[in-house]
Amino acid sequence: MDKSTIAIDTKLPRQDAYGSIAMPVYHTAAYEFETAKDMADAFCGRVLAPDYSRVMNPTVMHFEDQVKALTGADNVFAFCSGMAAITNAFLTVIESGKNIVTSRHLFGNTVALITKTFARFGVETRQVDLLDLDAVRKSIDKNTACIYLEIVTNPQLEVADIPALAKIAHENGIPLIADTTVIPFTQFSAKALGVDIEVLSSTKYISGGATSLGGLVIDYGTFPEVNKRIRFELLFNIGSYMSPHAAYMQSLGLETLEARYKMQSDNALELARKLQTVKGIRVNYIGLEDNSFHALAQRQFGKMAGAMLTIDLADQEACFRFIDNLKLIRRATNLFDNKTLAIHPYSTIFGNFTDDEKREMDVKDTTIRISVGLENVDDIFEDIVQAAN
Ligand SMILES: *Cc1c(COP(=O)(O)O)cnc(C)c1O
């Protein structure tokens, strides 16, 4: 069955009492049981039934079922944000004395999570060039917990060879964890590329209209401790499960994801091509044939290249002037909203890193990140051209 059909037609976990077509929002903290034994079975995980909404909730379970059906994963866990999903995924594999091998090109809060928060608990981070496979191999030792990457880095738009990194991880008996926020799991199979644990911010493409925060851990079952730790330890002890209201909105978002992704990708490609003709603007988009990652991106993620592109202007002053001049495009963070968004990552998302740190991460003061929405592409283009003048 096609992904667009699966997204819409995933069955509810149980027959609804009123035959509701949408999954109802179970706004409840606790659930009553018939017998003491049923209660004990649920609490001890012998039967997977909701007992308390910190750990399981029918509306969230339906959202997780949709993702499971779309990805073929063994287990899917929904959290209250992308960062919560990333944190929980790491917590299944790290402990004091272990290290994480990853890139210098990472989402700002992920960098801070591993190099600041986790560092306080004795976890080391080794940031290497993931395009240099020898450097990756050399950085791994017996204490390495995982290799972690983002499939298209932001804002550098770098694409690594995922099967090659998976091979290195598996030769060392460790999982490859991939943040797949920027290309939806309906477009490609992370599992087929060798990813063991997929993490993503469902705040972005899945929620669609920026209605809610959410994050997913998609576990392909290759490292059994992932399921065991999240289901029987972390959901209970950390308490960062998705809320039923967010799951309701994100289930609806998932139903229209395929249609939105296609239109946003088409818009982004057309916009990038038009922007290439404008003097004073340098455009970076993996969907453009002359982009150095174009062929690899197509091979790994399919024909459509998604809705994130960057433009480079003369200097930071020009970027600020550009952002101030925008009339249609929203001055906002977030990605993959229905609305087109623009941000200057250097002064915002990475604003609290030093200039040296930003140089190391290749975050430039000349770059503006644009998330292309569903508006008419000529209107988006016109706004960019007038703002750049
Ligand atoms: C937004 C984002 C996150 C964090 O997700 P939240 O839902 O905002 O917590 C992580 N990784 C990437 C690549 C992102 O774009």
Side-chain angles (χ1 to χ4, degrees), residues 13 52 67 89 92 106 131 135 174 179 211-212 243 254 262 265 275 280 291 299 325 338 350 361 371 378 380:
Y52 192 63
V67 177
T92 64
L106 288 178
L131 305 184
I174 55 173
D179 179 334
T211 57
S212 48
S243 77
L254 204 45
K262 180 174 188 325
S265 292
L275 289 173
N291 182 285
R299 200 159 71 235
N325 284 345
N338 298 337
F350 295 91
M361 293 188 267
S371 172
D378 294 327
I380 303 169

Side-chain angles (χ1 to χ4, degrees), residues 81-83 86 107 110 150 154 179 181 201 203-204 213-214 335:
S81 70
M83 286 320 301
I86 292 168
F107 179 68
T110 304
E150 291 173 13
N154 157 15
D179 179 334
T181 302
S201 166
T203 314
K204 313 289 168 59
L213 268 89
L335 283 167

Side-chain angles (χ1 to χ4, degrees), residues 349-368:
I349 301 169
F350 295 91
N352 288 326
F353 290 92
T354 65
D355 289 353
D356 279 348
E357 287 172 325
K358 284 187 268 201
R359 201 166 312 117
E360 286 228 319
M361 293 188 267
D362 297 310
V363 175
K364 299 200 195 87
D365 62 355
T366 53
T367 304
I368 287 171

Side-chain angles (χ1 to χ4, degrees), residues 127-138:
Q127 288 177 282
V128 297
D129 179 359
L130 293 184
L131 305 184
D132 179 350
L133 299 176
D134 269 340
V136 176
R137 256 185 225 102
K138 286 196 188 110

Side-chain angles (χ1 to χ4, degrees), residues 311-323:
I311 56 173
D312 276 88
L313 303 178
D315 50 28
Q316 170 156 330
E317 209 178 295
C319 289
F320 272 43
R321 208 166 43 238
F322 171 85
I323 287 185

Side-chain angles (χ1 to χ4, degrees), residues 63-355:
F63 176 54
E64 292 168 337
D65 284 348
Q66 281 177 303
V67 177
K68 208 165 146 178
L70 287 166
T71 56
D74 284 35
N75 309 285
V76 173
F77 301 97
F79 294 94
C80 60
S81 70
M83 286 320 301
I86 292 168
T87 302
N88 276 273
F90 274 124
L91 289 178
T92 64
V93 295
I94 59 168
E95 61 190 46
S96 172
K98 295 269 188 186
N99 64 71
I100 295 164
V101 168
T102 188
S103 165
R104 275 183 212 99
H105 300 160
L106 288 178
F107 179 68
N109 294 120
T110 304
V111 184
L113 172 71
I114 58 179
T115 63
K116 299 195 165 108
T117 311
F118 288 164
R120 287 199 282 113
F121 298 90
V123 175
E124 182 201 343
T125 298
R126 299 179 176 177
Q127 288 177 282
V128 297
D129 179 359
L130 293 184
L131 305 184
D132 179 350
L133 299 176
D134 269 340
V136 176
R137 256 185 225 102
K138 286 196 188 110
S139 65
I140 294 175
D141 63 19
K142 65 178 194 340
N143 289 321
T144 302
C146 61
I147 300 178
Y148 182 87
L149 88 155
E150 291 173 13
I151 58 168
V152 182
T153 72
N154 157 15
Q156 307 86 2
L157 307 183
E158 172 190 284
V159 180
D161 183 336
I162 300 173
L165 290 173
K167 188 159 171 282
I168 296 173
H170 299 154
E171 280 166 4
N172 287 280
I174 55 173
L176 178 68
I177 308 181
D179 179 334
T180 63
T181 302
V182 294
I183 308 280
F185 47 67
T186 48
Q187 298 304 308
F188 75 107
S189 166
K191 181 187 185 177
L193 294 176
V195 171
D196 299 287
I197 309 164
E198 193 174 350
V199 292
L200 62 103
S201 166
S202 55
T203 314
K204 313 289 168 59
Y205 274 123
I206 294 177
S207 98
T211 57
S212 48
L213 268 89
L216 289 163
V217 173
I218 302 172
D219 167 33
Y220 291 106
T222 37
F223 288 81
E225 65 265 32
V226 175
N227 178 47
K228 220 167 66 216
R229 293 234 163 93
I230 294 182
R231 192 175 296 292
F232 300 113
E233 180 186 329
L234 299 174
L235 281 175
F236 289 88
N237 300 349
I238 305 280
S240 52
Y241 194 50
M242 183 175 272
S243 77
H245 193 65
Y248 171 78
M249 289 186 284
Q250 303 221 339
S251 276
L252 286 183
L254 204 45
E255 291 186 2
T256 59
L257 174 63
E258 284 282 275
R260 285 184 285 110
Y261 184 71
K262 180 174 188 325
M263 186 163 168
Q264 283 175 266
S265 292
D266 289 352
N267 264 1
L269 181 59
E270 197 177 335
L271 180 67
R273 285 191 176 138
K274 282 170 179 280
L275 289 173
Q276 278 186 309
T277 67
V278 180
K279 243 181 72 202
I281 293 181
R282 207 158 48 79
V283 54
N284 188 9
Y285 180 55
I286 57 169
L288 290 172
E289 285 79 2
D290 60 5
N291 182 285
S292 55
F293 295 111
H294 179 72
L296 180 60
Q298 295 243 310
R299 200 159 71 235
Q300 295 187 145
F301 313 128
K303 284 227 169 341
M304 289 183 276
M308 179 169 70
L309 57 83
T310 63
I311 56 173
D312 276 88
L313 303 178
D315 50 28
Q316 170 156 330
E317 209 178 295
C319 289
F320 272 43
R321 208 166 43 238
F322 171 85
I323 287 185
D324 291 346
N325 284 345
L326 290 170
K327 290 183 176 139
L328 171 73
I329 297 172
R330 309 300 181 103
R331 289 173 280 274
T333 188
N334 199 20
L335 283 167
F336 317 132
D337 192 338
N338 298 337
K339 302 175 180 74
T340 299
L341 314 171
I343 192 165
H344 181 246
Y346 191 90
S347 61
T348 55
I349 301 169
F350 295 91
N352 288 326
F353 290 92
T354 65
D355 289 353

